[in-house]
Amino acid sequence: MTETSQGVNSVDIAVSILTFVASQNGQARAIDIATGCGLSKSRLHKYLVSLCRTGMLCQNEKGLYSLGATALQLAGTPTGTRNAINELNAMLVAFRDTFNHSTGVVVVSDNGLILKHYNRSFRNVDIDFLPNTQVPLHASAAGQIFMSFSGYQAQNPAQKQLIKQIISQGYAVRYNPTQGIPGAQSIACPLQNSKGELIAIAVTMGFFSAEAIPQIANQLVNSIASLQLQN
């Protein structure tokens, strides 16, 4: 057997998936990828999970797959053309796939804080949100992050102390139920650029025990820390 005839079939398949997605103007449905690459849906799913986990692909709120942060970095995409929100969401999809916790990306808009992306966990019982849902400033972990990393002026000593704590630990937690999602907790941390400016807020949410929250929070912080934004 010659050297050129040897290889790893799974690598060939992964490359064919990436090539197909790139050929579809950078976005493709899973069913189209399966057809284009000659794969069954169940076999393709395993590849999609791994490719999203490694950042080679990412999935948006419409279920479409596109090239992820790792693929863009390997392709030498200039930093200035990177989409920080998509890269963050790709990382959070991988986080969801690894730890089975729902995740989301919250951005600042003219209408306040907005949940731009939501990636539901695979648990039988979980919380569902629609993309572009407004996030309350004073009743959410994302709101706490915004107040801590955006230059927001604390309104009272207790809030000032909370902001100081959040900045120190790098994440915020909403422990108590809020309207519409009783019994659910949320953890959030900031995505900042090299200037320390708040780009977006990463959130994971679910029915967490008090004992599990510090570990989950550190997992989230460490995952987001791997995104190196230069601008």
Side-chain angles (χ1 to χ4, degrees), residues 88 145-146 148-149 166-167 169-172 188-193 196-203 220-221 224-225:
L88 175 59
I145 289 296
F146 173 78
S148 301
F149 294 92
I166 291 170
I167 292 174
Q169 66 190 15
Y171 64 86
C189 69
L191 177 67
Q192 299 170 284
N193 62 18
E197 298 166 335
L198 184 65
I199 302 298
I201 302 167
V203 182
L220 182 65
V221 170
I224 303 309

Side-chain angles (χ1 to χ4, degrees), residues 45-167:
H45 176 72
K46 297 177 181 179
Y47 282 93
L48 293 177
V49 169
S50 292
L51 289 170
C52 286
R53 180 182 299 133
T54 55
M56 296 299 290
L57 288 177
C58 63
Q59 185 182 22
N60 65 21
E61 67 273 12
K62 296 180 180 180
L64 297 174
Y65 290 89
S66 59
L67 297 180
T70 303
L72 295 175
Q73 183 179 9
L74 292 173
T77 303
T79 301
T81 64
R82 292 169 64 182
N83 187 315
I85 304 302
N86 287 346
E87 290 188 29
L88 175 59
N89 193 53
M91 186 67 68
L92 290 171
V93 168
F95 186 92
R96 185 273 311 271
D97 291 343
T98 301
F99 300 108
N100 200 17
H101 302 313
S102 294
T103 60
V105 177
V106 174
V107 297
V108 181
S109 75
D110 293 338
N111 296 319
L113 300 178
I114 299 295
L115 180 68
K116 183 173 179 62
H117 296 289
Y118 176 67
N119 312 299
R120 191 188 188 280
S121 77
F122 305 110
R123 302 177 190 275
N124 291 330
V125 178
D126 210 332
I127 309 158
D128 279 320
F129 289 99
L130 293 174
N132 299 317
T133 296
Q134 192 159 14
V135 178
L137 177 63
H138 296 287
S140 67
Q144 293 178 25
I145 289 296
F146 173 78
M147 290 188 288
S148 301
F149 294 92
S150 67
Y152 175 89
Q153 297 298 313
Q155 302 300 302
N156 53 62
Q159 194 176 73
K160 184 176 182 179
Q161 181 60 34
L162 177 62
I163 288 173
K164 182 179 179 180
Q165 177 186 340
I166 291 170
I167 292 174

